[in-house]
Amino acid sequence: MGETDRLLEVIRGRNAKTVGLQFPVGLRTKAVELAREIESRAGVTCLVSADPSFGACDVAEMPVDLIVHLGHAPMPHLRYNRVFFYDLPGPPLASLAFIDAAEPLLPNRVGLLTTTQFRHWLPPIKDHLERKGHVVRIGEPDRRVAYAGQVLGCDYHTATVVEKDVDGYLYIGTGDFHPLGVAILVDKPVIVADPERGTARDLKEVRDRVLRQRHAAIARAHDAQTFGILVSKKIGQGRMDMALGLKALAEKHGRQASLFLMDLVAPDLLQGYRVDAWVNTACPRIAIEDVLQYKEPMLTPQEFEIVLGEREWTDYRFDEIRA
Amino acid sequence: MGETDRLLEVIRGRNAKTVGLQFPVGLRTKAVELAREIESRAGVTCLVSADPSFGACDVAEMPVDLIVHLGHAPMPHLRYNRVFFYDLPGPPLASLAFIDAAEPLLPNRVGLLTTTQFRHWLPPIKDHLERKGHVVRIGEPDRRVAYAGQVLGCDYHTATVVEKDVDGYLYIGTGDFHPLGVAILVDKPVIVADPERGTARDLKEVRDRVLRQRHAAIARAHDAQTFGILVSKKIGQGRMDMALGLKALAEKHGRQASLFLMDLVAPDLLQGYRVDAWVNTACPRIAIEDVLQYKEPMLTPQEFEIVLGEREWTDYRFDEIRA
């Protein structure tokens, strides 16, 4: 049964009259088409949520009977209210050439990692690598992650849980951010096998460049007097207790800190406030990936601890939101 | 008693422990300072809302005991929950030179209009113009507007309520949008007296240029097949019933329409959807002021009716949200 058929059953079962649809940016092209199909087949009214959606941490509040969230796997520890996670069929594993490209870069004992999109590729890739003599581990998920071997931009549990059993990682996917988190968190090589480009690469250079950027941000914030601590409104990104703790820590060290609550974090939304540096407790990607877009230094909580002298540079930690 | 003292009394009276602060863009420079003052004087924790705030139609939902909303007068018809409207002292009326600059452009019978910022200037300006022989009217507010003579970007009641008694309007303020709404809504001259520039001008040219832009947008949307109808999440901008009515009207005319729910409406948030034209039921400014920023035509509800043939070009109406 197709996923739309399963959704139609849920709509009927709940007697929903209004349905909200939430798409990540890459799936916006499908929005009107899916809304129309659901409206005509289920006799409901659809509302497309046009607020950006970044993950299962970020489910819109909508005045509807059922929200359909596409493109992300649910976070097991969150209590979702009337949310249907539409499970998109991932692409087929057409070729193992990109794995073969990665294989010479891999150590013998390797941990497999990916995002929800490619999760169904992990078993055949494991078999393939084992046939080539590798010892392969796929880490079991935690309360924030749905699938074995899945990593989020904020939770690398499936990497760290197998850390002692492997000498490096193979990440299956297209972007830098997820494997970068592993490369910074764990002092072992991370090899990226990219199914779109069909190529493989070691993440060491990217890791070193980002760490230099992070140290530069910490240095720029060294003498900052007034900090703005960002707290997210999103269901799976809120870390108010951490933010309050960081504010108290700042004040203990004679610095000023104000709390800023927001939904979407974006450079133009932070302009004009008289703040010397930002500390981000929302999605960890914001401080790392968008670093050059913000006028003031944008720090992670752990980097803020370094600025305050509460943590050593040698104890640098990648920010995660664990449940 | 200053407004901050009045706020501190309210905080004490409610025994509030957490206070949210909501600033319009122009007041962001005061945010950290006010948050700090309230924290130190009231012993509370402040949260600055960093989601943009555009009016009293747009009060943030925040997990706090009291929200402090700055820069806008409350809308009488809305039920606000734990909101303190911080009434900023307006600037003093230092000189009437800008009124004297406007006076030769005015008809004998004139209606006075302004925004909340300058509302306390209206009585002395009325006196001044009456001494020069004018008949001056200041329209009483409706359920959406707090003060006599005040206009909102979405409610021009204080202009239309005196329409029969005046031959033109004098608007006191700095921007174009509010008086533009009056100039399009009412077929009478609108003169702007700008206290910052100290100058006056007739709005006729701006009005004619904007009407040409609006007709161009309508023409561009003429053959559109798929419309995206925007509905706001904001407390004072939601017009779901209107949006549903427009969707039904589109379908009656053989066009497709999907509903899009969102908080902040911005060009990049609407990119990628397969929509030929947008219809905006959120803040009326969006279609008019930001017209050139959107790739697809952005229509008001009344303009959409013209596209569908349900309204004549000669019956062009400026969009308002009336309560």
Side-chain angles (χ1 to χ4, degrees), chain A residues 36-255:
Chain A
R36 249 190 237 169
E37 182 182 358
I38 296 170
E39 286 184 343
S40 73
R41 291 182 62 190
V44 297
T45 299
C46 283
L47 266 179
V48 176
S49 171
D51 297 332
S53 161
F54 296 103
C57 55
D58 179 14
V59 173
E61 288 196 18
M62 302 180 78
V64 292
D65 301 324
L66 181 71
I67 291 175
V68 180
H69 188 97
L70 292 96
H72 305 119
M75 293 182 168
H77 77 299
L78 291 181
R79 287 198 197 170
Y80 296 107
N81 192 13
R82 295 165 305 169
V83 182
F84 177 93
F85 281 86
Y86 192 108
D87 196 11
L88 293 160
L93 178 56
S95 158
L96 284 162
F98 71 111
I99 302 296
D100 290 334
E103 201 266 326
L105 304 173
L106 295 177
N108 178 254
R109 300 187 309 160
V110 62
L112 278 191
L113 303 169
T114 190
T115 57
T116 176
Q117 190 182 3
F118 303 115
R119 66 179 194 266
H120 54 297
W121 291 3
L122 293 190
I125 289 172
K126 179 171 189 279
D127 289 347
H128 185 73
L129 288 173
E130 284 174 347
R131 278 196 295 272
K132 291 185 181 257
H134 288 278
V135 173
V136 181
R137 290 292 306 270
I138 301 176
E140 287 302 311
D142 68 356
R143 301 200 316 127
R144 197 172 167 81
V145 174
Y147 302 106
Q150 183 193 357
V151 285
L152 303 178
C154 53
D155 188 325
Y156 300 95
H157 171 84
T158 62
T160 55
V161 74
V162 299
E163 186 177 349
K164 287 187 185 143
D165 308 326
V166 302
D167 304 307
Y169 296 89
L170 176 62
Y171 173 80
I172 314 295
T174 52
D176 268 352
F177 186 79
H178 293 73
L180 173 70
V182 180
I184 293 178
L185 204 62
V186 177
D187 193 19
K188 295 185 175 176
V190 176
I191 308 301
V192 175
D194 185 323
E196 283 187 7
R197 293 197 188 85
T199 57
R201 60 208 162 85
D202 191 319
L203 214 69
K204 189 176 181 321
E205 271 182 41
V206 177
R207 172 188 185 276
D208 291 348
R209 173 172 53 79
V210 169
L211 282 176
R212 286 193 299 272
Q213 282 178 344
R214 302 321 306 160
H215 283 204
I218 293 167
R220 283 179 62 209
H222 186 265
D223 296 323
Q225 286 307 307
T226 302
F227 292 85
I229 301 177
L230 304 180
V231 186
S232 176
K233 282 184 166 179
K234 297 185 190 298
I235 179 176
Q237 294 183 18
R239 290 190 282 178
M240 181 62 84
D241 288 346
M242 172 189 261
L244 288 167
L246 293 173
K247 179 172 155 67
L249 204 63
E251 287 160 1
K252 179 186 133 188
H253 286 274
R255 316 282 183 110

Side-chain angles (χ1 to χ4, degrees), chain B residues 189-238:
Chain B
V190 175
I191 308 302
V192 175
D194 184 322
E196 284 187 5
R197 293 196 187 85
T199 56
R201 60 207 163 85
D202 191 319
L203 214 69
K204 189 176 181 322
E205 271 181 42
V206 177
R207 172 188 186 275
D208 292 348
R209 173 172 52 79
V210 169
L211 282 176
R212 285 193 300 271
Q213 281 177 344
R214 302 321 306 159
H215 283 206
I218 293 168
R220 282 180 63 209
H222 187 266
D223 296 322
Q225 286 308 307
T226 302
F227 292 85
I229 301 176
L230 304 180
V231 187
S232 176
K233 282 185 168 179
K234 296 185 190 299
I235 179 176
Q237 294 183 19

Side-chain angles (χ1 to χ4, degrees), chain A residues 23 25 27-33 35-36 39 45-52 60-63 225-227 230-231 233 240 244 247 251 256-264 268-275, chain B residues 23 25 27-33 35-36 39 45-52 60-63 225-227 230-231 233 240 244 247 251 256-264 268-275:
Chain A
F23 298 84
V25 172
L27 293 176
R28 284 185 187 168
T29 52
K30 312 279 185 200
V32 165
E33 187 187 347
R36 249 190 237 169
E39 286 184 343
T45 299
C46 283
L47 266 179
V48 176
S49 171
D51 297 332
E61 288 196 18
M62 302 180 78
Q225 286 307 307
T226 302
F227 292 85
L230 304 180
V231 186
K233 282 184 166 179
M240 181 62 84
L244 288 167
K247 179 172 155 67
E251 287 160 1
Q256 301 279 354
S258 295
L259 301 178
F260 287 74
L261 183 73
M262 63 199 306
D263 183 26
L264 179 65
D268 60 315
L269 302 183
L270 296 181
Q271 279 176 14
Y273 295 109
R274 291 188 178 160
V275 154
Chain B
F23 298 85
V25 172
L27 293 175
R28 284 184 187 170
T29 53
K30 312 277 185 199
V32 165
E33 188 186 346
R36 249 189 238 170
E39 286 185 342
T45 299
C46 283
L47 265 181
V48 176
S49 170
D51 297 331
E61 289 196 19
M62 301 180 79
Q225 286 308 307
T226 302
F227 292 85
L230 304 180
V231 187
K233 282 185 168 179
M240 182 61 85
L244 289 167
K247 178 172 156 66
E251 287 160 1
Q256 302 278 355
S258 295
L259 301 177
F260 287 74
L261 183 74
M262 64 199 306
D263 183 26
L264 179 65
D268 59 317
L269 302 183
L270 296 181
Q271 278 176 16
Y273 295 110
R274 291 188 179 161
V275 154

Side-chain angles (χ1 to χ4, degrees), chain B residues 4-272:
Chain B
T4 304
D5 294 320
R6 199 167 71 88
L7 169 58
L8 292 171
E9 273 195 6
V10 172
I11 290 170
R12 276 189 290 269
R14 288 174 172 260
N15 198 23
K17 301 296 178 207
T18 52
V19 173
L21 302 176
Q22 209 183 2
F23 298 85
V25 172
L27 293 175
R28 284 184 187 170
T29 53
K30 312 277 185 199
V32 165
E33 188 186 346
L34 185 64
R36 249 189 238 170
E37 182 183 358
I38 296 170
E39 286 185 342
S40 72
R41 290 181 63 189
V44 296
T45 299
C46 283
L47 265 181
V48 176
S49 170
D51 297 331
S53 161
F54 296 103
C57 55
D58 179 16
V59 173
E61 289 196 19
M62 301 180 79
V64 292
D65 300 325
L66 181 71
I67 291 175
V68 181
H69 187 99
L70 291 97
H72 305 119
M75 293 182 166
H77 78 298
L78 291 181
R79 287 198 198 171
Y80 296 107
N81 191 13
R82 297 165 304 169
V83 182
F84 177 91
F85 281 86
Y86 191 108
D87 196 11
L88 293 161
L93 178 56
S95 159
L96 285 160
F98 72 110
I99 302 296
D100 290 335
E103 200 267 327
L105 303 174
L106 295 176
N108 179 254
R109 300 188 309 161
V110 62
L112 278 191
L113 304 170
T114 191
T115 56
T116 175
Q117 190 182 5
F118 304 114
R119 65 179 195 264
H120 53 297
W121 290 3
L122 293 191
I125 290 172
K126 179 171 188 281
D127 290 347
H128 185 72
L129 288 173
E130 283 173 349
R131 281 196 294 272
K132 291 184 182 260
H134 288 277
V135 174
V136 180
R137 291 290 308 272
I138 301 175
E140 289 301 312
D142 67 357
R143 300 200 317 126
R144 196 171 168 82
V145 174
Y147 302 107
Q150 182 193 357
V151 284
L152 303 179
C154 53
D155 188 325
Y156 300 95
H157 171 85
T158 63
T160 55
V161 73
V162 299
E163 186 176 349
K164 288 186 185 144
D165 307 326
V166 302
D167 305 306
Y169 296 89
L170 177 61
Y171 173 81
I172 314 295
T174 52
D176 268 351
F177 186 78
H178 292 73
L180 173 69
V182 180
I184 293 177
L185 203 62
V186 177
D187 193 20
K188 295 185 176 177
V190 175
I191 308 302
V192 175
D194 184 322
E196 284 187 5
R197 293 196 187 85
T199 56
R201 60 207 163 85
D202 191 319
L203 214 69
K204 189 176 181 322
E205 271 181 42
V206 177
R207 172 188 186 275
D208 292 348
R209 173 172 52 79
V210 169
L211 282 176
R212 285 193 300 271
Q213 281 177 344
R214 302 321 306 159
H215 283 206
I218 293 168
R220 282 180 63 209
H222 187 266
D223 296 322
Q225 286 308 307
T226 302
F227 292 85
I229 301 176
L230 304 180
V231 187
S232 176
K233 282 185 168 179
K234 296 185 190 299
I235 179 176
Q237 294 183 19
R239 290 190 282 179
M240 182 61 85
D241 288 347
M242 171 188 263
L244 289 167
L246 293 173
K247 178 172 156 66
L249 204 62
E251 287 160 1
K252 180 187 133 189
H253 286 275
R255 316 281 184 111
Q256 302 278 355
S258 295
L259 301 177
F260 287 74
L261 183 74
M262 64 199 306
D263 183 26
L264 179 65
V265 182
D268 59 317
L269 302 183
L270 296 181
Q271 278 176 16

